[in-house]
Amino acid sequence: MKALLIHQHGGLEQVRFEEIDNPEVGPGLVRVKTKATSLNHLDLHVVRGLPGRDLAMPHILGSDGAGLVDETGEEANRFSIGDRVMLNAVLSCGKCEFCMEGQHSLCIKLHLVGENSGGTHGEYFVVPEANLRKIPAQVVFEEAAAFSLVFQTAWRMLKTRTHIRPGDDVFIHGIGSGVSTAALKIVKLSGGRVFASSSSDEKLKQAHQAGADFCYNYTKTDVVQEVLGATGKRGVDIVVDTVGDATWLQSIQLARKGGKIVTCGATSGPNPKTEIRLIFWKQLEILGSTMSNQREYDEVVALLGQEKLKPVIDRTFPLSEGKKALEYLQEQKQFGKVVLVA
Ligand code: ZN
């Protein structure tokens, strides 16, 4: 088969679309004929190389995918050949104290499809059957491939970690990324108000169309003053910060007394300037979150099936032009997900 892969870490010049053996099924595994995959910021980190991770090369990229069941291994009997399936990339051991409690995202051996093991950006991918779900009938492959990683991540952040309630004010930095647009949809579904920021008026326009209540271009306005003005000096209940260095101090200023800041990433860097006095004085809760448990994944897939949640797709590229798609993602011009079609 052909796949988007690297032979060594480096820049995007390392990414190739070339022939590689089809992945083989084993016990409990299912081979999927890929119809669509989607890019994540994680793909760029994997190309560059993650500290302490020694990948077997060549390594196929990709942590989101959807397609048709092509072959099932022994003991894999939940699906039939030809079933339309979508992927949950969370690989957990199933044996540790956290897995035993259903807390798969806390698994001591947690890893992801495409991060430590072979990914989805090929004509076929092989994963444990427990990681697949049937695609709801009216959902097309592109949507199914664009959905999982960002929605399960944003769902856990907002529902499980911050316990979002109707009427909550939620600030989302850097609207346009996959997780931030998923968070926008989940806040609106939960009956909250969205405050979104970006450096791009175009992205803010799209955010407004997608339901954002207040939009701020941080290159033109003092976001903290604007939000304090709009909330009667109170601040917001929840801040979704996936940016890190560039936004952390603002997040602390934006949160109301007793408010929550939740993070699942740090695209601008992981060591921000902080302000401990405001953290204790305002009694803030700072929450980490990563991926989701299987129960949370089932919840978001059900909402996808009920058409209550729907991914925003920015652009699609053919799988063969995956390198070009990664370059496009790296430029951060997208609003929503970049999808590859096989
Ligand atoms: Zn485990």
Side-chain angles (χ1 to χ4, degrees):
M1 69 166 187
K2 286 233 167 157
L4 202 64
L5 52 80
I6 52 171
H7 288 272
Q8 60 183 67
H9 294 296
L12 291 181
E13 75 283 351
Q14 298 297 340
V15 178
R16 313 231 161 94
F17 185 65
E18 58 183 33
E19 198 65 34
I20 186 168
D21 291 341
N22 279 4
E24 288 186 14
V25 292
L29 301 178
V30 172
R31 184 163 65 201
V32 177
K33 177 158 183 28
T34 310
K35 300 298 277 184
T37 69
S38 77
L39 303 185
N40 289 290
H41 212 84
L42 177 65
D43 299 7
L44 300 173
H45 289 305
V46 172
V47 173
R48 238 173 273 136
L50 295 157
R53 305 269 169 78
D54 218 358
L55 290 182
M57 296 289 177
H59 175 78
I60 301 172
L61 304 165
S63 302
D64 264 318
L68 299 169
V69 171
D70 175 68
E71 193 181 336
T72 55
E74 288 167 41
E75 299 155 38
N77 42 33
R78 280 166 53 180
F79 298 99
S80 308
I81 308 300
D83 278 353
R84 285 164 21 101
V85 288
M86 57 196 287
L87 172 69
N88 167 13
V90 175
L91 297 168
S92 52
C93 75
K95 294 174 191 155
C96 72
E97 59 174 310
F98 302 105
C99 285
M100 295 308 281
E101 290 175 349
Q103 298 283 358
H104 310 98
S105 69
L106 289 171
C107 175
I108 55 170
K109 292 184 177 168
L110 177 72
H111 60 291
L112 303 181
V113 173
E115 187 187 24
N116 315 54
S117 62
T120 55
H121 299 327
E123 289 170 320
Y124 295 89
F125 61 87
V126 168
V127 290
E129 69 166 354
N131 287 68
L132 295 173
R133 298 291 182 279
K134 280 196 183 166
I135 300 174
Q138 79 289 2
V139 176
V140 298
F141 286 115
E142 289 87 340
E143 290 171 330
F147 185 77
S148 294
L149 194 146
V150 294
F151 273 89
Q152 69 191 128
T153 300
W155 185 256
R156 179 168 172 78
M157 289 172 86
L158 287 162
K159 284 285 173 181
T160 309
R161 301 296 282 145
T162 70
H163 305 289
I164 185 172
R165 292 178 302 189
D168 274 352
D169 285 342
V170 182
F171 191 93
I172 305 173
H173 291 287
I175 200 73
S177 76
V179 170
S180 67
T181 50
L184 189 165
K185 297 283 189 120
I186 291 167
V187 175
K188 293 318 293 178
L189 180 69
S190 308
R193 291 200 299 180
V194 170
F195 297 66
S197 75
S198 170
S199 61
S200 156
D201 287 336
E202 181 55 35
K203 286 188 190 182
L204 291 170
K205 201 172 117 193
Q206 288 170 287
H208 185 65
Q209 282 163 1
D213 300 270
F214 299 86
C215 296
Y216 305 103
N217 186 324
Y218 64 78
T219 65
K220 298 178 183 170
T221 186
D222 183 334
V223 173
V224 174
Q225 288 310 316
E226 292 281 340
V227 172
L228 290 176
T231 57
K233 295 189 182 165
R234 179 174 177 269
V236 297
D237 301 283
I238 297 167
V239 182
V240 175
D241 191 332
T242 60
V243 179
D245 277 359
T247 52
W248 192 252
L249 205 49
Q250 272 189 2
S251 295
I252 290 170
Q253 294 166 330
L254 287 165
R256 69 160 164 84
K257 280 202 150 192
K260 296 165 184 172
I261 301 170
V262 62
T263 173
C264 71
T267 49
S268 70
N271 294 298
K273 188 169 162 27
T274 191
E275 176 50 274
I276 289 172
R277 287 171 299 184
L278 279 178
I279 294 174
F280 72 71
W281 184 248
K282 290 164 78 172
Q283 303 193 48
L284 301 180
E285 288 183 61
I286 296 187
L287 302 161
S289 195
T290 198
M291 300 300 289
S292 80
N293 301 331
Q294 286 175 18
R295 178 182 54 76
E296 293 159 329
Y297 183 63
D298 287 330
E299 287 167 3
V300 282
V301 172
L303 291 166
L304 174 71
Q306 294 159 17
E307 299 182 301
K308 288 182 179 164
L309 291 176
K310 193 177 161 76
V312 178
I313 295 177
D314 175 85
R315 268 184 83 169
T316 61
F317 291 81
L319 180 61
S320 58
E321 291 178 21
K323 185 175 172 176
K324 217 157 93 180
L326 284 165
E327 287 163 359
Y328 177 68
L329 182 74
Q330 190 163 254
E331 290 168 13
Q332 299 195 337
K333 288 189 182 144
Q334 84 285 0
F335 186 87
K337 295 286 286 179
V338 179
V339 170
L340 302 180
V341 180

